[in-house]
Amino acid sequence: MAQLDRKTLVTGGAGFLGSHLCDRLVGRGEDVLCIDNFFTGTKRNVAHLVPNPRFELMRHDVTFPLYVEVDRIFNLACPASPVHYQFDPVQTTKTSVHGAINMLGLAKRVKARILQASTSEVYGDPEVHPQPESYWGRVNCIGPRSCYDEGKRCAETLFFDYQRQHDLDIKVIRIFNTYGPRMHPNDGRVVSNFIVQALRGEDVTIFGDGSQTRSFCYVDDLIEGMLRMMDSDKGLYGPVNLGNPGEFTMIELAEKVLRSTGSKSRLVRKPLPQDDPRQRKPDIALAGSKLGWEPKVSLDDGLKETVAYFRKLLAS
Ligand SMILES: NC(=O)c1ccc[n+]([C@@H]2O[C@H](COP(=O)([O-])OP(=O)(O)OC[C@H]3O[C@@H](n4cnc5c(N)ncnc54)[C@H](O)[C@@H]3O)[C@@H](O)[C@H]2O)c1
């Protein structure tokens, strides 16, 4: 099917990743239906797309069924940062689980291909480093992060059961920490947190001793990987890790942010939150071999773009 004829549904399309995905899809000529309940996403993220006849924005909560005719579904709806997903943990699990059931039901009815935005959180606090897709994870099922981690794990289960039971055309990606313009300024995620604190001249908060590591993927790289997975041959179900394996300690990240913003903020330490993983790094060999994908944007270049976005946002 030519991309021009394709109708694509993006759930959570007014969020950080969803809005960049909508940009790419509209840019390549697809008709995009963006649905969002605006819990963490905002109309501002997609306002520039609204005048485009290829784009349609609808307020809808994925925990309720949706009846539309589409060829493809990207299921991104779910708050992604601990402050937001812990605000109403029951709703978070519902969004992942009921949302997956509703979107899989829709995909089954209209025979659509469906992609799930899963997460590295399915690996929990891992004993294997870096994490390949074959690792089953180490997740606490009763902690404050469980609503997100277990909701996403259950959603993956549902995707694979719909595939086995109903021969659904599924794709599952596991996204590792991604950053870039349009991140929520108050979501407590480390990159946005550090940048906003540095730009405001506030203390930059490091949890624990700052030696824990994370890997950070720039949004453009991530969306490229997501599109390659959606466009891949039928039968490549995943899960496929997408992320940047470059590993940085929190101290290294904070120092880069201070350099990039020119801020004189101090680094201050606070206790580590419960169940915070010590290290997280994707093994992306599968994405390399199956999708020919690897991230291209360095942390310094990505931070430059992200800092410029937040500078403008905070000034407005
Ligand atoms: N950004 C990352 O680093 C990262 C990492 C792993 C996984 N992910 C996954 O990618 C997806 C997008 O994440 P993001 O970083 O863009 O976060 P985000 O919070 O910016 O986007 C999520 C979007 O979903 C919407 N939403 C939430 N609950 C909904 C509901 N019940 N019905 C309809 N819409 C709802 C929100 O309003 C928001 O627009 C999420 O599923 C997240 O779990 C993101």
Side-chain angles (χ1 to χ4, degrees):
M1 179 186 300
Q3 282 167 11
L4 278 174
D5 304 326
R6 189 180 288 146
K7 292 181 190 57
T8 302
L9 170 64
V10 179
T11 78
F16 161 48
L17 296 181
S19 62
H20 286 276
L21 175 63
C22 290
D23 279 343
R24 286 287 303 271
L25 292 169
V26 169
R28 67 184 204 177
E30 300 193 26
D31 262 342
V32 175
L33 172 59
C34 166
I35 66 164
D36 208 295
N37 70 349
F38 304 114
F39 175 51
T40 51
T42 85
K43 290 181 194 162
R44 192 182 55 239
N45 285 343
V46 288
H48 59 288
L49 289 172
V50 170
N52 191 318
R54 293 214 170 279
F55 182 79
E56 193 179 347
L57 177 62
M58 183 198 281
R59 182 187 291 269
H60 179 78
D61 189 315
V62 291
T63 60
F64 296 96
L66 179 70
Y67 299 93
V68 288
E69 295 295 321
V70 289
D71 306 297
R72 286 182 167 190
I73 303 169
F74 288 87
N75 189 35
L76 274 65
C78 186
S81 69
V83 265
H84 289 134
Y85 69 65
Q86 289 169 2
F87 172 76
D88 185 348
V90 173
Q91 174 68 12
T92 299
T93 304
K94 276 187 185 167
T95 294
S96 278
V97 177
H98 293 193
I101 290 171
N102 287 327
M103 290 308 121
L104 286 162
L106 173 63
K108 179 171 167 246
R109 273 196 304 280
V110 300
K111 298 191 172 32
R113 173 173 284 196
I114 180 166
L115 177 143
Q116 168 68 356
S118 189
T119 170
S120 57
E121 300 292 337
V122 300
Y123 299 121
D125 192 2
E127 311 104 320
V128 173
H129 192 73
Q131 294 84 49
E133 292 83 351
S134 54
Y135 176 53
W136 286 1
R138 178 167 170 263
V139 179
N140 175 2
C141 70
I142 55 168
R145 301 173 74 106
S146 311
C147 58
Y148 183 73
D149 303 5
E150 296 290 13
K152 288 285 191 180
R153 285 170 69 95
C154 183
E156 285 199 17
T157 307
L158 284 161
F159 267 67
F160 280 85
D161 280 336
Y162 264 79
Q163 193 289 314
R164 284 185 287 260
Q165 207 173 324
H166 301 296
D167 195 28
L168 220 65
D169 187 5
I170 64 155
K171 304 276 173 191
V172 176
I173 55 169
R174 290 182 178 156
I175 304 171
F176 285 65
N177 264 353
T178 301
Y179 71 99
R182 302 189 198 143
M183 288 182 92
H184 201 289
N186 304 316
D187 68 2
R189 281 193 265 192
V190 65
V191 174
S192 45
N193 230 24
F194 283 3
I195 293 177
V196 169
Q197 288 172 328
L199 287 175
R200 288 185 172 144
E202 295 167 0
D203 291 344
V204 170
T205 334
I206 310 260
F207 292 103
D209 63 5
S211 65
Q212 70 273 35
T213 64
R214 290 290 185 279
S215 51
F216 303 101
C217 186
Y218 188 62
V219 60
D220 291 356
D221 283 334
L222 193 280
I223 299 299
E224 177 62 31
M226 194 184 290
L227 289 169
R228 283 186 191 209
M229 181 63 175
M230 185 54 124
D231 293 340
S232 66
D233 292 343
K234 185 164 191 241
L236 177 63
Y237 305 129
V240 174
N241 287 340
L242 293 179
N244 191 325
E247 207 177 358
F248 298 88
T249 66
M250 295 302 98
I251 299 276
E252 285 168 334
L253 175 68
E255 283 166 353
K256 277 183 185 294
V257 167
L258 290 185
R259 264 199 306 279
S260 169
T261 51
S263 167
K264 299 269 178 297
S265 291
R266 293 179 316 148
L267 305 187
V268 297
R269 292 185 166 70
K270 284 202 179 158
L272 264 186
Q274 192 185 334
D275 294 341
D276 200 42
R278 275 217 50 84
Q279 43 176 205
R280 192 61 83 44
K281 170 176 160 166
D283 178 332
I284 56 166
L286 190 63
S289 67
K290 298 288 184 196
L291 308 175
W293 177 85
E294 61 173 7
K296 302 250 187 294
V297 181
S298 70
L299 183 55
D300 287 317
D301 288 346
L303 281 178
K304 221 178 283 168
E305 298 293 324
T306 315
V307 166
Y309 168 78
F310 278 112
R311 211 184 273 287
K312 219 164 135 190
L313 185 77
L314 296 182
S316 65

